[in-house]
Amino acid sequence: MENNQPYRSEKKLVAGILAILLNGLAIHKFYLGYTKEGIIQLILTVVTCGLAGFIGIIEGIIYLTKSDEEFDRTYVEGHKGWF
């Protein structure tokens, strides 16, 4: 990574835990700065009576299984909003 900054693994851990525990509320999206995606996920959760909450569980698992470098490159620097 440029400037020899450490990877932001604390974001990975917090976002992963939020995604798994509070999946339907999309708190992990807001935490990572994805406001538009968070609002979309919230609406989907309400419209599907909570079934869209599985998105958060899947994303939480994906976040936690990525290396710190890959998470940082994909979600912090790359701003990939979904999966």
Side-chain angles (χ1 to χ4, degrees):
M1 190 171 157
E2 298 86 26
N3 301 332
N4 293 326
Q5 293 178 352
Y7 297 111
R8 292 167 226 157
S9 58
E10 71 277 357
K11 281 197 175 247
K12 177 181 101 167
L13 182 61
V14 173
I17 291 171
L18 287 173
I20 291 171
L21 296 180
L22 302 172
N23 48 54
L25 299 176
I27 302 300
H28 63 288
K29 297 276 191 200
F30 297 111
Y31 178 74
L32 290 173
Y34 302 136
T35 305
K36 182 177 86 174
E37 291 87 347
I39 292 170
I40 291 169
Q41 186 172 347
L42 262 174
I43 292 169
L44 284 173
T45 299
V46 170
V47 169
T48 64
C49 298
L51 291 177
F54 285 109
I55 294 171
I57 295 171
I58 293 166
E59 286 182 328
I61 292 168
I62 290 171
Y63 294 168
L64 294 174
T65 57
K66 287 190 177 290
S67 69
D68 292 349
E69 178 183 36
E70 189 177 6
F71 177 85
D72 197 52
R73 187 175 51 246
T74 306
Y75 299 105
V76 177
E77 291 176 3
H79 298 288
K80 181 179 178 188
W82 297 100
F83 298 100

